[in-house]
Amino acid sequence: MGILSRMIPTEDASARKREIEEKLKQEQETLSFIRENLEKSDQLTKGMVSILSSFESRLMQLENSIIPVHKQTENLQRLQENVDKTLSCMDHVISYYHVAKDTDRIIREGPTGRLDEYLACIAKIQKAVEYFQDNNPDSPELNTVKARFEKGKELLEAEFRNLLTRYSKPVPPILILDAISVDEELEVQEEVVLEHLPEAVLQDIICIAGWLVEYGRNQDFMNVYFQIRSNQLDRSIKGLKEHFRKNSASSGVPYSPAVQTKRKDTPTKKVPKRPGYDHDLRVKLMTDALTEKHGGAAGKDDVLDIEIDSYIHCISAFVKLAQSEYALLLEIIPEHHQKKTFDSLIQEALDNLMLEGDNIVSAARRAIMRHDYSAVLTIFPILRHLKMNKSEFDSTLQGTAASTKNKLPTLITSMETIGAKALEEFADSIKNDPDKEYNMPKDGTVHELTSNAILFLQQLLDFQETAGAMLASQVLGDTYNIPLDPRESSSSASSYTSEFNKRLLSTYICKVLGNLQLNLLSKSKVYEDAALRAIFLHNNYNYILKSLEKSELIQLVTVTQKRAESLYRELIEQQIISYKSSWFKVTEHLSEKNMPVFQPGTKLKDKERQIIKDKFKGFNDGLEELCKTQKGWAIPDKEQRDFIRRSQKTVVSEAYRAFLQRCANISFTKNPEKYHKYHPEHVEQMIEKLFDTSA
């Protein structure tokens, strides 16, 4: 064990030594390899340094050779560019001397059909003018190109006029009616666009106008524009008026068939009408009735109706056409000249419309002088239409001169004044209508004054605001003693509210009805027969009440007269009572007055028999006389006629039956059939035939 332990460390040391020697050998080999590589690297480095030094030397030699050549080339290029620019400038300058010749043919032939090419030539001439003015103002060429420029400008102005003249056409009446018509069944109205010029022509006109403003320094074309367009606007409205004259008489209110062709999906639609047409038609019917009462000429009134309807349509047409003209003008006329040009453009058409309106006012004034108040009714639809369209009218004329804006308000004021005068004089005429015996109805029916007055008042229903404003415009509140609400008080009529106007109109209607009642009372005195007088007043009062109720005039009357309906019913009842009193001279013979007192079986004295005979005779004669007379009288209202007959039958037949019963057992004559001529049923039949001229 001891020997073995000593041998092990000796072997380990030998192995370790061998290992170290091997590692040392490897390291030495590695070191030798590194040295060899370092030597090779040094050799390569020296070779590369030598090559780079040689390249740098050669590059410096090349640079020294090329830089002078480059600089020389740049100088040559600069010289070439200067030569080219000089030649170009020379060509450009020389071209100015040839502009007049080069553009001569195009300028002479004008711009028609080749506006772009023509404006390009004008631009060349303009540049030549500027060149000679800046560089050679004394040259003869300047005068030449100036003359050519002015010639070109003149031809452009002529082309502007020619295009406007050639393509500006009056708008067809059918298209205008489409534009202003209203179809109440359509929730969304189809707007009709009025195209005054073809699009291509419009663009040429805009182009020429722009050039004349920017380069031509010319505003004369604006005068040309408004003169031509003004003429077309006036012709369009006159064409619409002529359309009415040709077609309205035969076909009623004119309409546009184009509306139906456009709306293919609604072939059964009603013909579009302007707002308020139904009301105006009722006014026309009432006016015709009044005219017939006055014995007027129907043909003349038909012409007047056409003229009035035509005028209303022309007012709407003017607004629509003026708006479209302004839209067109905005594209052509410079902004700061637009309002003035538009003002001038619409003057002729506007003046003609206002003149026609003044003529209508004058005609109404002459009608008032003739006491023909039915003719004045034509003012109402026109005035209402003017006031309904005033805001749109004012909007269209915004920016025009004050004199232009005031034309419509002046016409409205004139119409309100003449309308108020007509209303007042009509009320006075109702009060002062003379009592002419030959003019009174023989049968006691409704007097023509009553029917005329009611017809006149009924049309006010459709024009309540218009008529009320007429009265208010003349500050008639004081005349009628209408209390003003503090909120309504003002120094001018324009401040009256709609409610006050309604009260004012209500008071006016009550005044007319009051005047009518007084006049009827006066006229009734012409009748000598008190019963016929009662029938006459009954018929007229009943007609007034029924007319008020049917036309809803009663609602307007009760604004200021709450008991109007009951008052008329009381008047009617009073006249019925007055009429019934006429039968007292018949029924008084049937009373017990003077009847002899007798006992059954007792023989009557001659005097007593005569009393009974006289009673029968008095009743028979009175009955026959009254039935014969009153059969020719009239009570047009069937309900009232039946009521009066029924009431009278009851009174007379009951009295007659009672009388016959009292005389049943009395022997007062040998010929009873001579006195007992009528049975009670026969009497009732006779009374049933009262007020029946055909019986």
Side-chain angles (χ1 to χ4, degrees):
M1 290 298 291
I3 297 172
L4 184 58
S5 61
R6 287 194 298 270
M7 286 177 66
I8 291 173
T10 304
E11 289 178 1
D12 290 340
S14 297
R16 183 172 181 80
K17 181 177 178 182
R18 284 194 301 273
E19 183 180 352
I20 292 171
E21 287 176 353
E22 286 178 2
K23 287 183 177 181
L24 179 61
K25 184 179 179 180
Q26 289 176 356
E27 292 293 335
Q28 287 176 347
E29 289 176 357
T30 300
L31 181 60
S32 297
F33 177 76
I34 291 172
R35 285 176 179 170
E36 289 176 2
N37 285 333
L38 284 174
E39 288 177 359
K40 289 179 180 179
S41 177
D42 288 341
Q43 291 176 0
L44 290 172
T45 299
K46 290 178 181 179
M48 182 59 71
V49 170
S50 174
I51 291 170
L52 289 175
S53 298
S54 175
F55 181 77
E56 182 180 5
S57 174
R58 292 180 180 180
L59 187 59
M60 289 179 64
Q61 290 177 0
L62 180 61
E63 184 179 350
N64 291 334
S65 300
I66 288 178
I67 286 177
V69 174
H70 178 69
K71 289 181 178 179
Q72 186 176 7
T73 302
E74 282 186 341
N75 291 334
L76 290 173
Q77 288 177 342
R78 193 177 297 111
L79 290 174
Q80 181 64 40
E81 289 175 359
N82 290 337
V83 170
D84 291 341
K85 288 181 180 179
T86 302
L87 291 174
S88 177
C89 289
M90 290 297 295
D91 291 340
H92 183 67
V93 170
I94 291 171
S95 69
Y96 289 133
Y97 287 87
H98 296 286
V99 164
K101 180 180 178 181
D102 294 342
T103 60
D104 181 65
R105 180 182 62 83
I106 294 177
I107 296 299
R108 278 190 293 103
E109 293 178 356
T112 304
R114 51 177 178 184
L115 182 61
D116 292 339
E117 182 182 5
Y118 190 84
L119 290 177
C121 287
I122 292 289
K124 290 180 181 179
I125 296 172
Q126 187 176 7
K127 289 181 180 179
V129 171
E130 293 172 354
Y131 171 79
F132 288 119
Q133 284 178 337
D134 294 339
N135 298 282
N136 194 0
D138 297 328
S139 65
E141 285 79 6
L142 176 59
N143 295 330
T144 302
V145 292
K146 271 187 174 181
R148 190 60 48 82
F149 181 80
E150 292 299 322
K151 179 66 175 177
K153 185 171 73 171
E154 290 176 6
L155 291 176
L156 275 177
E157 293 171 352
E159 179 69 3
F160 183 86
R161 178 189 293 274
N162 291 337
L163 287 175
L164 272 178
T165 304
R166 187 182 311 124
Y167 292 99
S168 290
K169 306 294 181 184
V171 180
I174 298 300
L175 191 57
I176 296 176
L177 289 173
D178 283 347
I180 65 177
S181 65
V182 176
D183 190 340
E184 297 174 354
E185 295 186 4
L186 294 181
E187 295 181 0
V188 180
Q189 298 297 323
E190 296 181 17
E191 184 176 357
V192 178
V193 179
L194 301 177
E195 295 182 354
H196 298 285
L197 297 169
E199 183 61 27
V201 174
L202 175 60
Q203 293 306 318
D204 284 350
I205 290 175
I206 293 172
C207 188
I208 295 174
W211 188 92
L212 290 173
V213 171
E214 185 174 358
Y215 301 109
R217 305 293 190 270
N218 182 8
Q219 297 180 3
D220 292 341
F221 79 94
M222 299 180 199
N223 296 330
V224 172
Y225 178 84
F226 89 71
Q227 289 169 0
I228 294 175
R229 294 307 307 168
S230 175
N231 182 51
Q232 298 308 320
L233 173 60
D234 190 53
R235 287 178 62 192
S236 297
I237 295 177
K238 287 179 178 177
L240 178 62
K241 193 179 302 182
E242 186 64 26
H243 175 79
F244 270 84
R245 289 174 180 168
K246 289 181 178 178
N247 300 318
S248 294
S250 59
S251 62
V253 175
Y255 71 97
S256 171
V259 174
Q260 291 183 332
T261 58
K262 286 193 305 178
R263 300 176 183 138
K264 295 179 180 178
D265 57 332
T266 56
T268 60
K269 291 290 184 184
K270 294 180 180 178
V271 175
K273 303 182 287 290
R274 60 176 171 78
Y277 165 69
D278 291 334
H279 290 168
D280 295 345
L281 181 59
R282 290 199 295 274
V283 172
K284 179 184 183 303
L285 295 175
M286 294 175 186
T287 304
D288 291 345
L290 284 172
T291 302
E292 185 178 351
K293 286 283 186 180
H294 287 294
K300 182 178 180 181
D301 289 326
D302 288 340
V303 172
L304 179 61
D305 292 334
I306 295 170
E307 292 295 327
I308 296 305
D309 206 32
S310 170
Y311 186 70
I312 289 175
H313 279 79
C314 286
I315 290 292
S316 297
F318 172 80
V319 174
K320 186 65 68 174
L321 290 170
Q323 290 172 347
S324 66
E325 286 290 348
Y326 187 69
L328 179 65
L329 177 145
L330 292 178
E331 298 187 71
I332 298 173
I333 304 301
E335 182 177 359
H336 53 287
H337 292 285
Q338 290 170 356
K339 294 294 185 182
K340 182 179 179 181
T341 303
F342 179 67
D343 197 345
S344 301
L345 189 155
I346 62 174
Q347 282 303 314
E348 182 177 4
L350 181 59
D351 286 344
N352 287 338
L353 283 176
M354 295 302 107
L355 177 60
E356 189 173 352
D358 290 338
N359 291 338
I360 292 172
V361 172
S362 298
R365 188 177 289 110
R366 291 192 296 271
I368 292 174
M369 294 176 66
R370 298 192 307 270
H371 305 293
D372 180 13
Y373 302 104
S374 63
V376 181
L377 299 181
T378 57
I379 291 286
F380 285 79
I382 295 175
L383 180 57
R384 181 181 63 180
H385 189 74
L386 291 178
K387 296 182 80 169
M388 285 174 57
N389 289 272
K390 185 177 182 300
S391 59
E392 190 174 7
F393 210 102
D394 292 342
S395 176
T396 302
L397 300 186
Q398 188 176 6
T400 58
S403 58
T404 302
K405 295 177 183 176
N406 291 334
K407 288 181 179 179
L408 182 66
T410 300
L411 178 60
I412 289 176
T413 300
S414 297
M415 287 190 171
E416 285 187 332
T417 301
I418 197 66
K421 180 177 176 64
L423 291 175
E424 281 301 291
E425 294 203 9
F426 176 77
D428 293 339
S429 72
I430 296 298
K431 180 180 180 180
N432 301 319
D433 187 69
D435 304 330
K436 299 177 181 178
E437 185 174 353
Y438 66 85
N439 198 33
M440 295 293 290
K442 303 300 182 183
D443 56 0
T445 189
V446 179
H447 196 281
E448 68 172 353
L449 178 68
T450 303
S451 58
N452 288 353
I454 294 300
L455 283 171
F456 189 93
L457 294 178
Q458 282 175 338
Q459 73 86 29
L460 297 181
L461 281 174
D462 294 328
F463 304 97
Q464 294 183 37
E465 188 63 32
T466 303
M470 279 182 178
L471 298 171
S473 69
Q474 304 304 305
V475 198
L476 296 178
D478 294 336
T479 302
Y480 295 118
N481 297 317
I482 300 297
L484 273 170
D485 189 287
R487 293 169 295 179
E488 299 173 359
S489 60
S490 175
S491 59
S492 64
S494 61
S495 66
Y496 291 124
T497 64
S498 177
E499 185 62 29
F500 176 73
N501 291 348
K502 187 175 183 179
R503 295 205 306 274
L504 192 58
L505 180 59
S506 173
T507 306
Y508 169 78
I509 293 175
C510 290
K511 176 183 177 181
V512 173
L513 293 175
N515 290 348
L516 178 60
Q517 181 180 346
L518 292 174
N519 199 309
L520 290 172
L521 282 171
S522 177
K523 289 182 185 302
S524 68
K525 295 175 183 178
V526 172
Y527 296 113
E528 295 181 0
D529 191 325
L532 181 55
R533 189 182 309 142
I535 290 296
F536 170 76
L537 291 175
H538 166 273
N539 284 334
N540 282 271
Y541 292 153
N542 185 63
Y543 177 83
I544 293 171
L545 177 60
K546 291 297 178 65
S547 298
L548 293 179
E549 291 174 336
K550 287 180 180 178
S551 64
E552 299 180 357
L553 265 173
I554 193 67
Q555 282 87 345
L556 191 55
V557 170
T558 53
V559 170
T560 53
Q561 180 53 269
K562 303 297 184 184
R563 294 190 63 247
E565 189 172 0
S566 61
L567 288 174
Y568 272 108
R569 295 193 185 283
E570 290 173 7
L571 289 172
I572 293 169
E573 183 62 29
Q574 289 173 7
Q575 299 310 316
I576 293 176
I577 293 172
S578 296
Y579 162 74
K580 288 181 177 180
S581 65
S582 68
W583 282 83
F584 289 166
K585 62 183 180 181
V586 175
T587 56
E588 68 178 354
H589 295 289
L590 305 177
S591 66
E592 294 185 3
K593 183 180 180 181
N594 297 326
M595 281 289 289
V597 179
F598 61 92
Q599 295 297 327
T602 305
K603 185 177 180 180
L604 295 178
K605 299 177 181 179
D606 292 342
K607 182 178 180 181
E608 292 174 336
R609 287 197 298 270
Q610 188 61 43
I611 290 175
I612 296 175
K613 290 178 181 179
D614 290 342
K615 282 183 175 289
F616 268 105
K617 187 176 186 304
F619 172 77
N620 293 336
D621 292 346
L623 176 65
E624 291 169 355
E625 180 185 354
L626 279 183
C627 288
K628 180 181 178 181
T629 301
Q630 296 185 8
K631 186 171 66 173
W633 296 353
I635 299 180
D637 189 324
K638 184 180 184 302
E639 181 181 348
Q640 287 290 311
R641 184 170 65 246
D642 292 344
F643 170 76
I644 292 175
R645 284 173 175 172
R646 187 169 55 252
S647 175
Q648 204 57 43
K649 278 194 303 183
T650 301
V651 172
V652 176
S653 65
E654 287 181 357
Y656 189 49
R657 290 177 192 275
F659 176 74
L660 291 178
Q661 187 175 2
R662 286 196 301 271
C663 299
N665 298 319
I666 301 177
S667 178
F668 63 92
T669 179
K670 293 180 180 181
N671 300 310
E673 65 277 359
K674 177 181 177 181
Y675 297 97
H676 188 184
K677 294 172 62 175
Y678 303 106
H679 293 287
E681 293 77 10
H682 192 191
V683 171
E684 291 180 354
Q685 291 175 2
M686 293 173 68
I687 296 175
E688 187 65 31
K689 294 180 180 179
L690 296 179
F691 318 117
D692 187 357
T693 56
S694 64

